[in-house]
Amino acid sequence: MVSDAERAAFDQDGVVCLRNVLTDGEVDHLRQAVTGQMSRLGHSTTGYDFEALARQVWDEGETVETGCANRFDMQAMKTQVRSDTAARPLLEEDPVSGTGPFFYDVAAWQHDRGVRRVAFDSALPEIAASLLDAHYLNFWEDTTFVKAPHTRQKTAFHQDLAYLQIEGDQCVIVWIPLDAASLGNGVTQYVRGSHKWNSVFAPNVFVSQTPIGSSPERRCPDIEAAPGAYDIISFDVEPGDVIVHHVLTVHGAGGNTSDTWRRAMSFRYCGDRVRYLDRPGAIPQVGMSHRLQDGDRLFSADYPLVWPKPWPGFRLAEAFDAQRPGHARSRMR
Ligand SMILES: O=C(O)CCC(=O)C(=O)O
């Protein structure tokens, strides 16, 4: 499923692009989920338009309007960004003015059966387990990142580990394009080999490199200020391809200066050496019911065990729905 050359690229570069991994049907499940998430923008507690937020961060007003979304304390973030002397708007040059959105949402798997099917029962768990040399694999969460045509907002370079309540780096992020993506419409970019820098960096909120919250980690280097000083790589991808990066790999994305959408979801998977850690500064997760303590394995229905399968052909998404009636009622997307 993963060739020796692909594994070597992942180990060396901290990122690898794998072609034709998902079926058309699987990509379609995710597109439908994203359409549903976007239709709830303004009414959901988890969906944000980061383009609109960035405008409000940089304008003179006091407040930041996020509709019903409450995962991030955007008011505090505005204060933090405005007092950060290194912070500046991260906007792509684009003669055509667009109004976004740069849409962000999380945890569709909790209510969307189609997302569960792909996250649990596609080729992805086996691929992730193989790249991580993991005996067991837990699914952590999905995140949605959509850039509408002519969305100028970049995704600030960042590293994922300190966003997550985990200890250990046996974790990968699978970036799943739902449209053809290249540098023109904001495909993700990766600092080659940065997973070996031996550093953990504080999270930012994607529209500025300003570290958010109370993370004790140091800020990520200002990659946007001197991109030529880093070995930055990207891949032109089609729906069905996936890009897998190591949790310590520094990455970001440009704006979308094209006429085409750039929709994507990313899935996070953790291997058996990862332990739970209520990490200071990590972004609060949504819809959690577990009571894990620091140092615990991720054994919880909140982090479904997606690999290995008890027998070939086993469908975890179906078993999950049968065991969790609340989830079984969710829409078939
Ligand atoms: O798609 C983007 O703009 C950012 C993606 C990202 O940071 C991630 O998947 O971890």
Side-chain angles (χ1 to χ4, degrees), residues 19 28 51 56 66 85 90 94 114 119 130 134 138 158 205 208 218 223 227 244 262 273 277 302 308 312:
R19 305 288 177 185
D28 227 46
E51 177 103 342
Q56 297 181 70
T66 63
T85 51
L90 296 174
D94 187 353
S130 164
N138 296 88
H158 61 280
V205 279
S208 163
R218 65 192 177 96
I223 312 282
V244 188
R262 195 227 65 172
R273 294 197 300 277
L277 172 65
D302 292 331

Side-chain angles (χ1 to χ4, degrees), residues 120-329:
F120 302 173
D121 296 322
S122 68
L124 295 178
E126 186 172 2
I127 287 172
S130 164
L131 288 172
L132 289 170
D133 271 330
H135 297 106
Y136 299 97
L137 197 74
N138 296 88
F139 178 69
W140 180 265
E141 193 177 62
D142 57 87
T143 313
T144 298
F145 294 94
V146 174
K147 294 193 182 192
H150 301 288
T151 302
R152 292 179 61 204
Q153 186 62 54
K154 298 180 184 179
T155 309
F157 275 85
H158 61 280
Q159 182 196 56
D160 289 334
L161 180 62
Y163 290 78
L164 311 178
Q165 288 80 355
I166 62 170
E167 184 179 13
D169 65 1
Q170 196 190 25
C171 171
V172 286
I173 294 81
V174 183
W175 194 83
I176 307 168
L178 306 179
D179 300 293
S182 60
L183 286 176
N185 65 352
V187 78
T188 37
Q189 302 173 36
Y190 303 85
V191 182
R192 196 198 310 255
S194 50
H195 64 310
K196 295 186 176 168
W197 284 354
N198 211 12
S199 291
V200 179
F201 300 119
N204 63 44
V205 279
F206 305 124
V207 297
S208 163
Q209 296 123 336
T210 309
I212 47 165
S214 52
S215 175
E217 317 293 352
R218 65 192 177 96
R219 69 190 291 154
C220 189
D222 192 346
I223 312 282
E224 282 87 357
Y230 297 91
D231 184 6
I232 298 175
I233 55 174
S234 67
F235 308 88
D236 291 356
V237 284
E238 297 290 329
D241 301 341
V242 299
I243 304 173
V244 188
H245 72 262
H246 188 274
V247 72
L248 292 176
T249 303
V250 173
H251 60 287
N256 178 357
T257 56
S258 80
D259 294 331
T260 61
W261 284 78
R262 195 227 65 172
R263 294 171 294 177
M265 278 188 120
S266 68
F267 290 173
R268 282 122 232 272
Y269 294 98
C270 297
D272 45 286
R273 294 197 300 277
V274 164
R275 297 291 180 270
Y276 187 77
L277 172 65
D278 193 7
R279 180 184 286 278
I283 310 293
Q285 285 200 281
V286 298
M288 296 286 109
S289 58
H290 69 73
R291 292 172 182 273
L292 296 179
Q293 303 291 316
D294 288 358
D296 285 351
R297 289 172 184 266
L298 303 180
F299 287 156
S300 158
D302 292 331
Y303 305 119
L305 190 65
V306 293
W307 190 260
K309 302 286 182 202
W311 56 83
F314 174 76
R315 297 272 169 222
L316 179 61
E318 284 169 26
F320 189 91
D321 289 346
Q323 294 300 313
R324 305 239 329 206
H327 288 264
R329 283 195 299 273

